[in-house]
Every structure is written in structure tokens, then in C-alpha cells.
Coordinates of all heavy atoms in Angstrom, one line a residue:
M16 N -13.2 -73.9 130.3 CA -13.9 -75.0 129.6 C -13.2 -76.3 129.9 O -13.8 -77.3 130.2 CB -13.9 -74.8 128.1 CG -14.4 -75.9 127.3 SD -15.9 -75.6 126.6 CE -16.0 -77.0 125.5
R17 N -11.9 -76.4 129.8 CA -11.2 -77.6 130.1 C -11.3 -78.0 131.6 O -11.5 -79.2 131.8 CB -9.7 -77.4 129.8 CG -9.4 -77.4 128.3 CD -7.9 -77.3 128.1 NE -7.7 -77.3 126.6 CZ -6.6 -76.9 126.1 NH1 -5.6 -76.6 126.8 NH2 -6.5 -76.9 124.8
K18 N -11.4 -77.1 132.5 CA -11.6 -77.4 133.9 C -12.9 -78.1 134.1 O -13.1 -79.1 134.7 CB -11.4 -76.2 134.7 CG -11.5 -76.5 136.2 CD -11.3 -75.3 137.1 CE -11.4 -75.7 138.5 NZ -11.2 -74.5 139.4
A19 N -14.0 -77.5 133.4 CA -15.3 -78.1 133.5 C -15.3 -79.5 132.9 O -15.9 -80.4 133.5 CB -16.3 -77.2 132.8
Y20 N -14.6 -79.7 131.8 CA -14.5 -81.0 131.1 C -13.9 -82.0 132.1 O -14.4 -83.1 132.3 CB -13.7 -80.9 129.9 CG -13.5 -82.3 129.2 CD1 -14.4 -82.8 128.4 CD2 -12.4 -83.0 129.5 CE1 -14.3 -84.1 127.8 CE2 -12.2 -84.3 128.9 CZ -13.1 -84.8 128.1 OH -12.9 -86.0 127.5
K21 N -12.8 -81.6 132.8 CA -12.1 -82.5 133.7 C -13.0 -82.8 134.9 O -13.0 -84.0 135.4 CB -10.8 -81.9 134.1 CG -9.8 -81.9 133.1 CD -8.5 -81.4 133.6 CE -7.4 -81.6 132.6 NZ -6.1 -81.6 133.2
V22 N -13.8 -81.9 135.4 CA -14.7 -82.2 136.5 C -15.8 -83.1 136.1 O -16.1 -84.1 136.8 CB -15.3 -80.8 137.1 CG1 -16.4 -81.1 138.1 CG2 -14.2 -80.0 137.7
V23 N -16.4 -82.9 134.9 CA -17.5 -83.7 134.5 C -17.1 -85.1 134.2 O -17.7 -86.1 134.5 CB -18.2 -83.1 133.2 CG1 -19.2 -84.0 132.6 CG2 -18.9 -81.8 133.6
T24 N -15.9 -85.3 133.5 CA -15.4 -86.6 133.1 C -14.6 -87.3 134.1 O -14.2 -88.4 134.0 CB -14.6 -86.5 131.8 OG1 -13.5 -85.7 132.0 CG2 -15.5 -86.0 130.6
R25 N -14.2 -86.5 135.1 CA -13.3 -87.0 136.2 C -11.9 -87.4 135.6 O -11.2 -88.2 136.1 CB -13.9 -88.1 136.9 CG -15.1 -87.7 137.7 CD -15.7 -88.9 138.4 NE -17.0 -88.4 139.0 CZ -17.8 -89.1 139.6 NH1 -17.7 -90.4 139.6 NH2 -18.9 -88.6 140.1
N26 N -11.5 -86.7 134.5 CA -10.2 -86.9 133.9 C -9.3 -85.8 134.4 O -9.3 -84.7 134.0 CB -10.4 -86.8 132.4 CG -9.0 -86.9 131.7 OD1 -8.0 -87.1 132.3 ND2 -9.1 -87.0 130.3
H27 N -8.5 -86.2 135.4 CA -7.6 -85.2 136.0 C -6.1 -85.5 135.7 O -5.2 -85.3 136.5 CB -7.8 -85.2 137.6 CG -9.1 -84.8 137.9 ND1 -9.5 -83.5 137.9 CD2 -10.2 -85.4 138.4 CE1 -10.8 -83.3 138.3 NE2 -11.2 -84.5 138.6
T28 N -5.9 -86.1 134.5 CA -4.5 -86.4 134.1 C -3.8 -85.2 133.7 O -4.4 -84.2 133.3 CB -4.5 -87.4 132.9 OG1 -5.2 -86.8 131.8 CG2 -5.1 -88.7 133.3
T29 N -2.5 -85.2 133.9 CA -1.6 -84.1 133.5 C -1.4 -84.1 132.0 O -1.6 -85.1 131.3 CB -0.3 -84.2 134.2 OG1 0.4 -85.3 133.8 CG2 -0.5 -84.2 135.8
V30 N -0.8 -83.0 131.5 CA -0.5 -83.0 130.1 C 0.5 -84.1 129.7 O 0.4 -84.7 128.7 CB 0.1 -81.6 129.7 CG1 0.6 -81.5 128.3 CG2 -1.0 -80.5 130.0
Q31 N 1.5 -84.3 130.6 CA 2.5 -85.3 130.3 C 1.9 -86.7 130.3 O 2.3 -87.5 129.4 CB 3.6 -85.3 131.4 CG 4.5 -84.0 131.4 CD 3.8 -82.8 132.1 OE1 2.9 -83.0 132.8 NE2 4.4 -81.6 131.8
E32 N 1.0 -87.0 131.2 CA 0.3 -88.3 131.1 C -0.6 -88.4 129.9 O -0.6 -89.5 129.3 CB -0.6 -88.4 132.4 CG 0.1 -88.6 133.7 CD -0.7 -88.5 134.9 OE1 -1.8 -87.7 134.9 OE2 -0.4 -89.1 135.9
Q33 N -1.2 -87.3 129.4 CA -2.0 -87.4 128.2 C -1.1 -87.6 127.0 O -1.4 -88.4 126.1 CB -2.8 -86.1 128.1 CG -3.9 -86.0 129.1 CD -4.7 -84.7 129.0 OE1 -4.8 -84.1 127.9 NE2 -5.2 -84.2 130.1
E34 N 0.1 -86.9 127.0 CA 1.0 -87.1 125.9 C 1.5 -88.6 125.8 O 1.6 -89.2 124.8 CB 2.2 -86.2 125.9 CG 1.7 -84.7 125.6 CD 2.9 -83.8 125.6 OE1 4.1 -84.2 125.9 OE2 2.7 -82.6 125.3
Q35 N 1.8 -89.1 127.0 CA 2.2 -90.5 127.0 C 1.1 -91.5 126.6 O 1.4 -92.4 125.8 CB 2.7 -90.9 128.5 CG 3.2 -92.3 128.6 CD 4.5 -92.5 127.7 OE1 5.3 -91.6 127.5 NE2 4.6 -93.7 127.2
K36 N -0.1 -91.2 127.0 CA -1.2 -92.0 126.6 C -1.4 -91.9 125.0 O -1.7 -92.9 124.4 CB -2.5 -91.5 127.3 CG -3.7 -92.3 127.1 CD -4.9 -91.8 127.9 CE -6.2 -92.4 127.5 NZ -7.3 -91.8 128.2
L37 N -1.2 -90.7 124.5 CA -1.4 -90.6 123.0 C -0.3 -91.4 122.3 O -0.5 -92.0 121.3 CB -1.3 -89.1 122.6 CG -1.3 -88.8 121.1 CD1 -2.6 -89.3 120.5 CD2 -1.2 -87.3 120.9
R38 N 1.0 -91.3 122.8 CA 2.1 -92.1 122.2 C 1.7 -93.6 122.2 O 2.0 -94.3 121.2 CB 3.4 -91.8 122.9 CG 4.0 -90.5 122.6 CD 5.3 -90.3 123.3 NE 5.9 -89.0 122.9 CZ 5.7 -87.9 123.5 NH1 5.0 -87.8 124.6 NH2 6.3 -86.8 123.1
E39 N 1.2 -94.0 123.3 CA 0.8 -95.4 123.5 C -0.3 -95.8 122.5 O -0.2 -96.9 121.8 CB 0.4 -95.7 124.9 CG 0.1 -97.2 125.2 CD 1.3 -98.1 125.1 OE1 2.4 -97.7 125.3 OE2 1.0 -99.3 124.9
A40 N -1.3 -94.9 122.3 CA -2.3 -95.2 121.4 C -1.8 -95.2 120.0 O -2.2 -96.1 119.2 CB -3.4 -94.1 121.5
L41 N -0.9 -94.4 119.6 CA -0.3 -94.4 118.2 C 0.5 -95.6 118.0 O 0.6 -96.1 116.9 CB 0.5 -93.1 118.0 CG -0.3 -91.8 118.0 CD1 0.7 -90.6 117.9 CD2 -1.3 -91.8 116.8
R42 N 1.1 -96.2 119.0 CA 1.8 -97.4 118.9 C 0.9 -98.7 118.8 O 1.3 -99.6 118.1 CB 2.8 -97.6 120.1 CG 4.1 -97.0 119.9 CD 5.1 -97.5 121.0 NE 4.7 -97.2 122.4 CZ 4.9 -96.1 123.0 NH1 5.6 -95.1 122.4 NH2 4.5 -95.9 124.3
T43 N -0.2 -98.6 119.5 CA -1.0 -99.9 119.7 C -2.3 -99.9 118.9 O -2.8 -101.0 118.7 CB -1.3 -100.1 121.2 OG1 -2.0 -99.1 121.7 CG2 0.0 -100.3 121.9
Y44 N -3.0 -98.7 118.6 CA -4.2 -98.8 118.0 C -4.1 -99.3 116.6 O -3.1 -99.0 115.9 CB -4.8 -97.4 117.8 CG -5.5 -96.8 119.1 CD1 -5.3 -97.3 120.3 CD2 -6.4 -95.7 119.0 CE1 -5.9 -96.8 121.5 CE2 -7.0 -95.2 120.1 CZ -6.7 -95.7 121.3 OH -7.3 -95.2 122.5
P45 N -5.0 -100.1 116.1 CA -4.9 -100.7 114.7 C -5.3 -99.6 113.7 O -6.1 -98.7 114.0 CB -6.0 -101.8 114.7 CG -7.0 -101.4 115.8 CD -6.2 -100.7 116.8
A46 N -4.7 -99.7 112.5 CA -5.0 -98.8 111.4 C -6.3 -99.3 110.7 O -6.6 -100.5 110.7 CB -3.9 -98.8 110.4
D47 N -7.1 -98.4 110.2 CA -8.3 -98.8 109.5 C -8.0 -99.2 108.1 O -6.8 -99.3 107.7 CB -9.4 -97.7 109.5 CG -8.9 -96.4 108.8 OD1 -7.9 -96.4 108.0 OD2 -9.7 -95.4 108.9
R48 N -9.0 -99.5 107.3 CA -8.7 -100.0 105.9 C -8.0 -99.0 105.0 O -7.4 -99.4 104.0 CB -10.0 -100.5 105.3 CG -11.0 -99.4 105.1 CD -12.3 -100.0 104.5 NE -13.4 -99.0 104.5 CZ -13.6 -98.2 103.5 NH1 -12.9 -98.3 102.4 NH2 -14.6 -97.3 103.5
R49 N -8.0 -97.7 105.4 CA -7.3 -96.7 104.6 C -5.9 -96.4 105.2 O -5.2 -95.6 104.7 CB -8.1 -95.4 104.6 CG -9.4 -95.6 103.8 CD -10.1 -94.3 103.7 NE -11.3 -94.4 102.9 CZ -12.3 -93.5 102.9 NH1 -12.2 -92.4 103.7 NH2 -13.3 -93.7 102.1
G50 N -5.6 -97.1 106.2 CA -4.2 -96.9 106.8 C -4.1 -95.9 107.9 O -3.1 -95.5 108.3
Y51 N -5.3 -95.4 108.4 CA -5.3 -94.3 109.4 C -5.5 -94.9 110.8 O -6.3 -95.9 111.0 CB -6.5 -93.3 109.2 CG -6.3 -92.4 108.0 CD1 -7.1 -92.6 106.9 CD2 -5.3 -91.4 108.0 CE1 -6.9 -91.7 105.8 CE2 -5.1 -90.6 106.9 CZ -5.9 -90.7 105.8 OH -5.8 -89.9 104.8
I52 N -4.8 -94.3 111.7 CA -5.0 -94.6 113.1 C -5.9 -93.5 113.6 O -5.6 -92.3 113.6 CB -3.7 -94.7 113.9 CG1 -2.8 -95.8 113.4 CG2 -4.0 -94.9 115.4 CD1 -1.4 -95.7 113.9
K53 N -7.1 -93.9 114.1 CA -8.1 -92.8 114.6 C -8.0 -92.8 116.1 O -8.1 -93.8 116.8 CB -9.5 -93.2 114.1 CG -9.7 -93.1 112.7 CD -11.2 -93.4 112.3 CE -11.3 -93.3 110.8 NZ -12.7 -93.6 110.4
V54 N -7.9 -91.5 116.6 CA -7.8 -91.3 118.0 C -8.9 -90.3 118.4 O -9.0 -89.2 117.8 CB -6.4 -90.8 118.4 CG1 -6.3 -90.4 119.8 CG2 -5.3 -91.7 117.9
P55 N -9.7 -90.5 119.5 CA -10.7 -89.5 119.9 C -10.0 -88.4 120.7 O -9.4 -88.6 121.7 CB -11.6 -90.3 120.8 CG -10.8 -91.6 121.2 CD -9.8 -91.8 120.2
P56 N -10.1 -87.2 120.2 CA -9.4 -86.0 120.9 C -9.9 -85.7 122.3 O -9.2 -85.2 123.1 CB -9.7 -84.8 119.9 CG -10.8 -85.2 119.1 CD -10.8 -86.7 119.0
E57 N -11.2 -86.2 122.6 CA -11.7 -85.9 123.9 C -11.0 -86.7 125.0 O -11.1 -86.3 126.2 CB -13.2 -86.2 124.0 CG -13.6 -87.6 123.7 CD -13.9 -87.9 122.2 OE1 -13.6 -87.0 121.3 OE2 -14.4 -88.9 121.9
H58 N -10.2 -87.6 124.6 CA -9.3 -88.4 125.6 C -8.1 -87.6 126.0 O -7.4 -87.9 126.9 CB -8.9 -89.7 125.1 CG -10.1 -90.7 125.0 ND1 -10.0 -91.9 124.4 CD2 -11.4 -90.6 125.3 CE1 -11.1 -92.5 124.4 NE2 -12.0 -91.7 125.0
Y59 N -7.8 -86.5 125.3 CA -6.6 -85.7 125.4 C -7.0 -84.2 125.5 O -6.6 -83.4 124.6 CB -5.6 -86.0 124.3 CG -5.5 -87.4 124.0 CD1 -6.2 -88.0 123.0 CD2 -4.6 -88.2 124.8 CE1 -6.1 -89.4 122.8 CE2 -4.5 -89.6 124.6 CZ -5.3 -90.2 123.6 OH -5.2 -91.5 123.3
P60 N -7.8 -83.8 126.5 CA -8.3 -82.4 126.5 C -7.3 -81.3 126.6 O -7.5 -80.2 126.2 CB -9.2 -82.4 127.8 CG -8.7 -83.5 128.6 CD -8.1 -84.5 127.7
D61 N -6.1 -81.6 127.1 CA -5.0 -80.5 127.2 C -4.0 -80.5 126.1 O -3.1 -79.8 126.1 CB -4.3 -80.7 128.6 CG -5.2 -80.5 129.8 OD1 -6.1 -79.7 129.7 OD2 -5.1 -81.2 130.8
I62 N -4.2 -81.4 125.1 CA -3.3 -81.5 124.0 C -4.0 -80.8 122.8 O -5.1 -81.3 122.4 CB -2.9 -82.9 123.7 CG1 -2.2 -83.5 124.9 CG2 -2.0 -83.0 122.5 CD1 -1.8 -85.0 124.7
S63 N -3.3 -79.9 122.1 CA -3.9 -79.3 120.9 C -3.7 -80.2 119.7 O -2.8 -81.1 119.8 CB -3.2 -77.9 120.6 OG -1.8 -78.2 120.3
Q64 N -4.4 -80.0 118.7 CA -4.3 -80.9 117.5 C -2.9 -80.7 116.9 O -2.3 -81.7 116.4 CB -5.3 -80.6 116.5 CG -5.4 -81.6 115.4 CD -6.6 -81.4 114.4 OE1 -7.2 -80.3 114.4 NE2 -6.9 -82.4 113.7
Q65 N -2.3 -79.5 117.0 CA -1.0 -79.2 116.5 C 0.1 -80.0 117.3 O 1.0 -80.5 116.8 CB -0.7 -77.7 116.4 CG 0.6 -77.4 115.8 CD 0.8 -75.9 115.6 OE1 0.1 -75.1 116.0 NE2 1.9 -75.6 114.9
R66 N -0.1 -80.0 118.6 CA 0.8 -80.7 119.5 C 0.7 -82.2 119.2 O 1.7 -83.0 119.2 CB 0.6 -80.4 121.0 CG 1.4 -81.2 121.9 CD 2.9 -80.8 121.8 NE 3.7 -81.7 122.7 CZ 4.9 -82.1 122.4 NH1 5.5 -81.8 121.3 NH2 5.5 -82.9 123.3
A67 N -0.5 -82.7 119.0 CA -0.7 -84.1 118.7 C 0.0 -84.5 117.3 O 0.6 -85.5 117.2 CB -2.2 -84.5 118.6
A68 N -0.1 -83.5 116.4 CA 0.6 -83.7 115.1 C 2.1 -83.8 115.3 O 2.8 -84.6 114.6 CB 0.2 -82.6 114.1
R69 N 2.6 -83.0 116.2 CA 4.1 -83.0 116.5 C 4.5 -84.4 117.1 O 5.5 -85.0 116.7 CB 4.5 -81.9 117.4 CG 5.9 -81.9 117.8 CD 6.8 -81.7 116.7 NE 8.2 -81.7 117.1 CZ 9.2 -81.1 116.5 NH1 9.0 -80.5 115.3 NH2 10.4 -81.2 116.9
I70 N 3.7 -84.9 118.1 CA 4.0 -86.2 118.7 C 3.9 -87.3 117.6 O 4.8 -88.1 117.6 CB 3.0 -86.4 119.8 CG1 3.2 -85.5 121.0 CG2 3.0 -87.9 120.3 CD1 2.1 -85.4 122.0
A71 N 2.9 -87.2 116.8 CA 2.8 -88.3 115.7 C 4.0 -88.2 114.8 O 4.6 -89.2 114.4 CB 1.5 -88.1 114.9
W72 N 4.4 -86.9 114.4 CA 5.6 -86.8 113.5 C 6.9 -87.3 114.1 O 7.6 -88.0 113.5 CB 5.8 -85.3 113.2 CG 6.9 -84.9 112.4 CD1 7.0 -85.1 111.0 CD2 8.2 -84.5 112.8 NE1 8.3 -84.7 110.6 CE2 9.0 -84.3 111.7 CE3 8.7 -84.1 114.1 CZ2 10.3 -83.8 111.8 CZ3 10.0 -83.7 114.1 CH2 10.8 -83.5 113.0
E73 N 7.0 -87.2 115.5 CA 8.2 -87.7 116.2 C 8.2 -89.3 116.1 O 9.2 -89.9 116.2 CB 8.2 -87.3 117.6 CG 8.5 -85.8 117.8 CD 8.2 -85.3 119.2 OE1 7.8 -86.1 120.1 OE2 8.5 -84.1 119.4
M74 N 7.0 -89.8 115.9 CA 6.9 -91.3 115.8 C 6.8 -91.8 114.4 O 6.5 -93.0 114.2 CB 5.6 -91.7 116.6 CG 5.6 -91.4 118.1 SD 4.2 -91.9 118.9 CE 4.4 -93.7 118.9
G75 N 7.0 -90.9 113.4 CA 7.1 -91.3 112.0 C 5.7 -91.3 111.4 O 5.6 -91.9 110.3
L76 N 4.7 -90.6 111.9 CA 3.4 -90.6 111.4 C 3.1 -89.1 111.0 O 3.7 -88.2 111.5 CB 2.4 -91.1 112.3 CG 2.5 -92.5 112.8 CD1 1.5 -92.8 113.9 CD2 2.2 -93.5 111.6
R77 N 2.1 -88.9 110.2 CA 1.6 -87.6 109.9 C 0.1 -87.5 110.3 O -0.6 -88.4 110.4 CB 1.6 -87.4 108.3 CG 3.1 -87.5 107.8 CD 3.1 -87.4 106.3 NE 4.5 -87.5 105.9 CZ 4.9 -86.9 104.9 NH1 4.2 -86.0 104.2 NH2 6.2 -87.0 104.5
A78 N -0.3 -86.2 110.6 CA -1.6 -86.0 111.1 C -2.5 -85.5 109.9 O -2.1 -84.6 109.2 CB -1.6 -84.9 112.2
E79 N -3.6 -86.1 109.7 CA -4.5 -85.8 108.6 C -5.4 -84.5 109.0 O -5.9 -84.5 110.1 CB -5.4 -86.9 108.3 CG -6.5 -86.7 107.3 CD -5.9 -86.4 105.9 OE1 -5.5 -87.4 105.3 OE2 -5.9 -85.2 105.5
A80 N -5.5 -83.6 108.1 CA -6.2 -82.4 108.4 C -7.6 -82.4 107.7 O -8.5 -81.6 108.0 CB -5.5 -81.1 107.9
F81 N -7.8 -83.3 106.8 CA -9.0 -83.3 106.0 C -10.0 -84.4 106.4 O -9.6 -85.6 106.5 CB -8.6 -83.4 104.5 CG -9.8 -83.4 103.6 CD1 -10.5 -82.2 103.3 CD2 -10.2 -84.6 103.0 CE1 -11.5 -82.2 102.4 CE2 -11.3 -84.6 102.1 CZ -11.9 -83.4 101.8
G82 N -11.3 -84.1 106.6 CA -12.3 -85.1 106.7 C -12.2 -86.0 108.0 O -12.4 -87.2 107.9
N83 N -11.9 -85.4 109.1 CA -11.7 -86.2 110.3 C -13.0 -86.6 111.0 O -12.9 -87.5 111.8 CB -10.8 -85.4 111.3 CG -9.4 -85.2 110.7 OD1 -9.0 -86.0 109.9 ND2 -8.7 -84.2 111.2
R84 N -14.1 -85.9 110.9 CA -15.4 -86.3 111.5 C -15.3 -86.6 113.0 O -15.7 -87.6 113.5 CB -16.0 -87.5 110.8 CG -16.3 -87.3 109.4 CD -17.0 -88.4 108.8 NE -17.3 -88.2 107.4 CZ -17.6 -89.1 106.5 NH1 -17.8 -90.3 106.9 NH2 -17.8 -88.7 105.3
G85 N -14.6 -85.7 113.7 CA -14.6 -85.8 115.2 C -13.4 -86.6 115.7 O -13.3 -86.8 116.9
S86 N -12.6 -87.1 114.9 CA -11.4 -87.9 115.4 C -10.2 -87.3 114.8 O -10.2 -86.7 113.8 CB -11.5 -89.3 114.9 OG -12.6 -90.0 115.5
W87 N -9.1 -87.5 115.5 CA -7.8 -87.2 115.0 C -7.4 -88.4 114.2 O -7.6 -89.5 114.6 CB -6.8 -86.9 116.1 CG -6.9 -85.6 116.8 CD1 -7.6 -84.5 116.4 CD2 -6.4 -85.3 118.1 NE1 -7.5 -83.5 117.3 CE2 -6.8 -84.0 118.4 CE3 -5.6 -86.0 119.0 CZ2 -6.4 -83.4 119.5 CZ3 -5.3 -85.4 120.2 CH2 -5.7 -84.1 120.4
R88 N -6.8 -88.2 113.0 CA -6.4 -89.3 112.2 C -4.9 -89.2 111.9 O -4.4 -88.1 111.5 CB -7.1 -89.4 110.9 CG -8.6 -89.7 111.1 CD -9.3 -90.1 109.8 NE -9.0 -89.2 108.7 CZ -9.5 -89.3 107.5 NH1 -10.3 -90.3 107.2 NH2 -9.2 -88.5 106.5
F89 N -4.2 -90.3 112.0 CA -2.7 -90.3 111.8 C -2.4 -91.4 110.8 O -3.0 -92.5 110.9 CB -2.0 -90.5 113.1 CG -2.3 -89.4 114.1 CD1 -3.3 -89.7 115.1 CD2 -1.7 -88.2 114.1 CE1 -3.7 -88.7 116.0 CE2 -2.1 -87.3 115.1 CZ -3.0 -87.5 116.0
G90 N -1.4 -91.2 110.0 CA -1.0 -92.3 109.1 C 0.4 -92.0 108.5 O 0.9 -90.9 108.7
E91 N 0.9 -93.0 107.8 CA 2.2 -92.8 107.2 C 2.1 -91.8 106.0 O 3.0 -91.0 105.7 CB 2.8 -94.1 106.7 CG 3.2 -94.9 107.9 CD 3.8 -96.3 107.5 OE1 4.1 -96.5 106.3 OE2 4.1 -97.1 108.4
T92 N 1.0 -91.9 105.3 CA 0.7 -90.9 104.2 C -0.7 -90.3 104.5 O -1.6 -91.0 104.9 CB 0.7 -91.6 102.8 OG1 -0.3 -92.6 102.8 CG2 2.1 -92.2 102.5
V93 N -0.9 -89.1 104.2 CA -2.1 -88.4 104.4 C -2.5 -87.5 103.2 O -1.6 -87.2 102.3 CB -2.1 -87.5 105.6 CG1 -2.0 -88.4 106.9 CG2 -1.0 -86.4 105.6
V94 N -3.7 -87.1 103.0 CA -4.1 -86.2 101.9 C -3.7 -84.8 102.2 O -3.1 -84.2 101.3 CB -5.7 -86.3 101.8 CG1 -6.1 -85.3 100.7 CG2 -6.1 -87.7 101.4
E95 N -3.9 -84.3 103.4 CA -3.5 -82.9 103.7 C -3.0 -83.0 105.2 O -3.7 -83.3 106.1 CB -4.8 -82.0 103.7 CG -4.4 -80.6 104.0 CD -5.7 -79.6 103.9 OE1 -6.7 -80.0 103.3 OE2 -5.6 -78.6 104.5
E96 N -1.7 -82.6 105.3 CA -1.1 -82.8 106.6 C -1.3 -81.5 107.5 O -1.2 -80.4 107.0 CB 0.4 -83.0 106.4 CG 1.2 -83.3 107.7 CD 2.6 -83.6 107.5 OE1 3.1 -83.6 106.3 OE2 3.3 -83.8 108.5
I97 N -1.5 -81.7 108.8 CA -1.5 -80.6 109.7 C -0.1 -80.2 110.0 O 0.8 -81.1 110.3 CB -2.2 -81.1 111.0 CG1 -3.7 -81.3 110.8 CG2 -2.0 -80.0 112.1 CD1 -4.4 -81.9 111.9
P98 N 0.3 -78.9 110.0 CA 1.6 -78.5 110.4 C 1.9 -78.9 111.8 O 1.1 -78.7 112.7 CB 1.6 -77.0 110.2 CG 0.3 -76.6 109.6 CD -0.6 -77.8 109.7
H99 N 3.1 -79.3 112.1 CA 3.5 -79.8 113.4 C 4.5 -78.8 114.0 O 5.0 -79.1 115.1 CB 4.0 -81.2 113.4 CG 5.1 -81.4 112.4 ND1 6.4 -81.1 112.7 CD2 5.1 -82.0 111.2 CE1 7.1 -81.4 111.6 NE2 6.4 -81.9 110.7
E100 N 4.9 -77.8 113.4 CA 5.9 -76.8 113.9 C 5.2 -75.7 114.7 O 4.1 -75.4 114.6 CB 6.6 -76.2 112.7 CG 7.3 -77.2 111.9 CD 8.5 -77.8 112.5 OE1 9.2 -77.2 113.3 OE2 8.8 -79.0 112.2

């Protein structure tokens, strides 16, 4: 499935490049009115949500597990945190 996604979207980035891109997004994306940084997971096809939660945790953020509606949400405080271990 991921290979097909990469062919269709022409996204041939490596896992390391995607992780770096996610770190950059967490540093630069603005927070919404509730304090969440929303990131579209389709931009990171080789990164699991748990791995994304770990990257966010390393940057001092937590990953929201509740009510995401197709986006990963990260913030300093969350309702229900995704385990990052």
C-alpha cells in the first residue's frame, strides 16, 4: 500500500527525510485556538502515529489520541495522550 501511495503521489522521501520534515512542521506550524498543532499524516506515509508521538515527545509536545478527524494533533497539553514508547 505504501509503495502504491508513493508512486501515485510521487513522494519518494526516506523515513529519515520524513522524520526531519515532521520535526520542522512541529517547530514552525502555528497552533490553532485550542493550542494544537495539526499535521496531515499523509505527508508522512512511512511514519506510524506512535513514532510521530515519540518525535513530538522529544520536542516537548504530546500527541492527542482523541477526536483527530484525519489529522495528527500535537500540543503541550492534551485530553488523551498517545503512548510514545
Side-chain angles (χ1 to χ4, degrees):
M16 169 112 168
R17 287 184 180 164
K18 185 176 180 181
Y20 175 86
K21 286 184 170 200
V22 169
V23 170
T24 62
R25 298 182 183 166
N26 179 354
H27 297 287
T28 57
T29 65
V30 174
Q31 293 80 14
E32 290 169 330
Q33 290 175 30
E34 288 183 0
Q35 184 60 33
K36 185 177 170 186
L37 177 59
R38 284 183 178 90
E39 184 67 22
L41 293 173
R42 272 194 299 274
T43 61
Y44 281 19
D47 66 9
R48 62 185 171 88
R49 293 183 177 166
Y51 289 111
I52 298 169
K53 292 183 180 179
V54 178
E57 60 270 11
H58 292 175
Y59 314 96
D61 296 325
I62 300 176
S63 68
Q64 190 172 19
Q65 187 173 6
R66 178 65 184 143
R69 177 63 183 204
I70 290 168
W72 178 79
E73 291 169 358
M74 297 181 69
L76 298 170
R77 296 173 183 221
E79 176 65 75
F81 180 74
N83 292 337
R84 296 186 185 167
S86 293
W87 288 339
R88 295 191 314 177
F89 304 95
E91 291 181 6
T92 59
V93 296
V94 175
E95 182 180 340
E96 186 175 1
I97 293 176
H99 54 80
E100 301 289 327

